Amino acid sequence: MFIGIDIGTSGSKGVLTDADGTILARAERPHEVTTPRPGWVEHDAESVWWADFVAIARELVDAAAGARLDGLGISGIGPCLLPADAQGIPLRPAILYGVDTRAGIEIAELTDELGAAAVLERAGSPLTSQAVGPKLRWLARHEPQVYERTHMLLMASSFLVHRLTGRYVLDHQSASQCVPMYDLRKREWAHDWAEHCAPGLALPELAWPTEIAGRVSAEGAAATGLPEGLPVTTGTVDAWAEAASVGVRAPGDAMVMYGTTMFLVQILTEPRPHPGLWGTCGAWPETYSLAAGMATSGAVTDWLRRLVGGDFGDLVTDAGKVPAGSRGLLMLPYFAGERTPLFDPDARGMVAGLTTSHGRGELYRAALEGTAYGVRHNLEAMSDAGGRARRLVAVGGGTKGGLWTQIVSDVTGLPQELPAETVGACLGDALLAAEAAGVDTSRWNPVTSVIEPDSERQAIYDQYYRRYRELYESTADIAHFLAAEQHRTADHG
């Protein structure tokens, strides 16, 4: 049996599987991010990452009922920055991935120092809010007392691996998102550039997500209920574990992850840098990937649900009765800025065309359509980079109900495969642990249905998509002014 546990943005999940990939037990814990200032998004590693992990691990160990466990896989949100001391004790809350936009000045500085073209060529990605390097420089500048005590750069998965095994190790995929500190083509730390961001910091060892990082120590076993000596894989970022969970591993395969944020991963055989995307290592040594991520998606639909009342089922029913185009509404889903392919942390959400005749059904459908336009925008950027998707697989909590996935297929004109299980990254973690144990996972989680685009709705959405692109371009100056006002008023209480 294998255990997989993932630490997500708004919740943690775990599964217990057999060697055939059948899920025998599931566990889940909700949590929230903290946003102490506009543009800051954090998790407390002890009360969120570790507490969730311990609770889920104990629940799954109990479900195993004494049966032998053969491996543990872990993933988590990333890339993140959790500074820790020499014992791996967190020194402050973790600074999360691209949704945390605090290091804008440091991004500009490092881009000027190293050169935008040079960074893209060597690191595979531009310097953006997703990059860890600028956040390390921010930490050294704004919290020097914390930086002086920092001996480890940890992320969600590597924090848990270290606490369980004592090993300070990071997977290549996560490391390749520590821009500009990793050389994508050489697949090693770029120590000269790391000194620009984090002078004197010892960087972790590097390994692949399918490699065993270590075994659960006596202390780890006592805290979690896991058996002492259980093999623990290196771990990785949740999106790549999620891609593994649905068999996205061959060149041309692409995953669309419907979650708090929308995330896309496409598999490549060689780096294809693009200024509007993230070029990274893949989860397997023979692969690279292009990645794209929106700053919000499920976060917008949840905000709207809380604003208008009702549960998701009611909102989906109402939205399903609304025709394509939401009766003349167009939403920019940039409620937390936007990541790829705009890289504009000061973009802002917008609803155009709103009248008193519009209700919550139209608003909810407009939100789903807005995120679908964002998916199309990112897929077009991937195609421009030479990485056109040949197979699209949908995964994540947002696939439930069918409306959102159908809208995405209608907007993009592409079919999407739905696997038997869309539980997400935790299943991919179990799969990676099984592969580390030598198990053939090729039959795990088969495809059970395909969502086909509707040509009539696609024609309607083609018109709306053009306006979607124009709306951002024509209102960007206004959005940037409003973002500056939000920062100003937050700074002055």
Side-chain angles (χ1 to χ4, degrees):
M1 293 182 182
F2 299 92
I3 287 178
I5 298 177
D6 172 65
I7 309 298
T9 303
S10 55
S12 302
K13 295 181 180 179
V15 293
L16 173 71
T17 75
D18 64 15
D20 295 325
T22 301
I23 296 178
L24 306 174
R26 306 166 191 252
E28 187 172 353
R29 294 293 185 278
H31 57 243
E32 297 181 349
V33 300
T34 55
T35 53
R37 294 182 60 180
W40 293 26
V41 187
E42 302 178 344
H43 269 165
D44 182 88
E46 298 287 359
S47 64
V48 176
W49 295 354
W50 181 242
D52 279 12
F53 180 86
V54 169
I56 290 172
R58 288 191 173 278
E59 189 171 334
L60 295 176
V61 168
D62 289 346
R68 190 184 75 182
L69 296 174
D70 299 297
L72 167 67
I74 302 169
S75 64
I77 50 173
C80 300
L81 167 57
L82 176 65
D85 67 14
Q87 285 71 50
I89 304 300
L91 298 172
R92 71 171 322 282
I95 300 171
L96 299 196
Y97 52 99
V99 295
D100 186 294
T101 59
R102 72 184 69 194
I105 291 173
E106 289 75 19
I107 289 168
E109 289 175 350
L110 286 167
T111 300
D112 287 343
E113 291 171 20
L114 303 175
V119 170
L120 185 62
E121 175 59 26
R122 187 181 189 188
S125 303
L127 281 159
T128 69
S129 64
Q130 188 84 344
V132 172
K135 291 173 182 176
L136 278 165
R137 179 177 279 195
W138 180 94
L139 182 70
R141 173 176 291 159
H142 294 278
E143 299 179 4
Q145 70 282 9
V146 172
Y147 186 79
E148 288 170 5
R149 298 170 57 205
T150 298
H151 286 261
M152 293 184 182
L153 159 62
L154 298 175
M155 299 191 191
S157 59
S158 61
F159 166 71
L160 296 171
V161 168
H162 179 267
R163 183 154 290 189
L164 291 170
T165 71
R167 189 175 176 196
Y168 179 38
V169 61
L170 186 66
D171 68 291
H172 281 274
Q173 202 295 310
S174 299
S176 68
Q177 298 199 61
C178 292
V179 180
M181 306 192 311
Y182 183 91
D183 190 311
L184 185 61
R185 296 182 188 276
K186 293 182 178 179
R187 296 186 170 197
E188 63 185 25
W189 289 118
H191 289 285
D192 54 337
W193 282 6
E195 283 297 306
H196 282 263
C197 308
L201 179 64
L203 299 175
E205 297 178 65
L206 295 172
W208 292 97
T210 52
E211 293 184 287
I212 294 173
R215 296 177 181 271
V216 174
S217 66
E219 295 82 0
T224 63
L226 294 165
E228 184 178 352
L230 179 69
V232 182
T233 55
T234 305
T236 192
V237 172
D238 55 0
W240 277 261
E242 191 137 18
S245 79
V246 294
V248 172
R249 63 188 301 167
D253 286 355
M255 175 200 70
V256 181
M257 183 174 75
Y258 295 76
T260 305
T261 64
M262 191 78 80
F263 206 87
L264 297 87
V265 173
Q266 183 173 349
I267 307 301
L268 307 171
T269 57
E270 62 182 0
R272 292 186 177 274
H274 184 285
L277 300 168
W278 300 303
T280 75
C281 286
W284 294 273
E286 67 275 12
T287 61
Y288 291 88
S289 60
L290 277 175
M294 298 171 63
T296 61
S297 57
V300 174
T301 59
D302 186 52
W303 167 80
L304 190 57
R305 176 192 59 81
R306 289 183 276 109
L307 189 68
V308 303
D311 59 30
F312 281 118
D314 293 338
L315 289 168
V316 169
T317 298
D318 290 351
K321 298 174 183 177
V322 176
S326 302
R327 296 194 174 95
L329 285 187
L330 188 58
M331 181 181 288
L332 296 182
Y334 309 147
F335 284 58
E338 186 54 302
R339 296 191 287 168
T340 65
L342 300 178
F343 291 131
D344 184 357
D346 290 328
R348 288 296 180 264
M350 179 176 297
V351 183
L354 196 60
T355 72
T356 55
S357 65
H358 289 113
R360 69 178 193 175
E362 287 85 359
L363 279 168
Y364 195 76
R365 187 179 186 102
L368 299 181
E369 290 171 345
T371 58
Y373 301 138
V375 170
R376 177 170 169 176
H377 195 183
N378 279 294
L379 287 172
E380 288 179 354
M382 288 181 170
S383 181
D384 292 343
R388 185 171 180 80
R390 294 193 292 268
R391 173 175 172 255
L392 214 58
V393 184
V395 68
T399 61
K400 297 174 182 177
L403 179 61
W404 200 356
T405 49
Q406 184 63 60
I407 289 173
V408 169
S409 280
D410 293 342
V411 167
T412 62
L414 297 172
Q416 295 175 88
E417 296 180 2
L418 277 175
E421 286 287 348
T422 59
V423 66
C426 56
L427 179 57
D429 298 327
L431 181 147
L432 293 169
E435 289 194 10
V439 173
D440 178 4
T441 62
S442 60
R443 296 182 181 274
W444 283 40
N445 202 13
V447 171
T448 56
S449 63
V450 179
I451 301 162
E452 297 287 350
D454 179 277
S455 58
E456 291 185 7
R457 290 193 293 267
Q458 184 182 345
I460 294 170
Y461 285 135
D462 282 346
Q463 300 179 58
Y464 275 77
Y465 177 69
R466 288 195 295 272
R467 273 65 181 187
Y468 168 87
R469 296 288 299 274
E470 293 168 0
L471 185 59
Y472 166 74
E473 293 168 2
S474 61
T475 60
D477 286 346
I478 297 172
H480 293 165
F481 166 78
L482 295 174
E485 284 295 290
Q486 291 161 9
H487 291 303
R488 182 184 63 81
T489 54
D491 289 340
H492 293 86

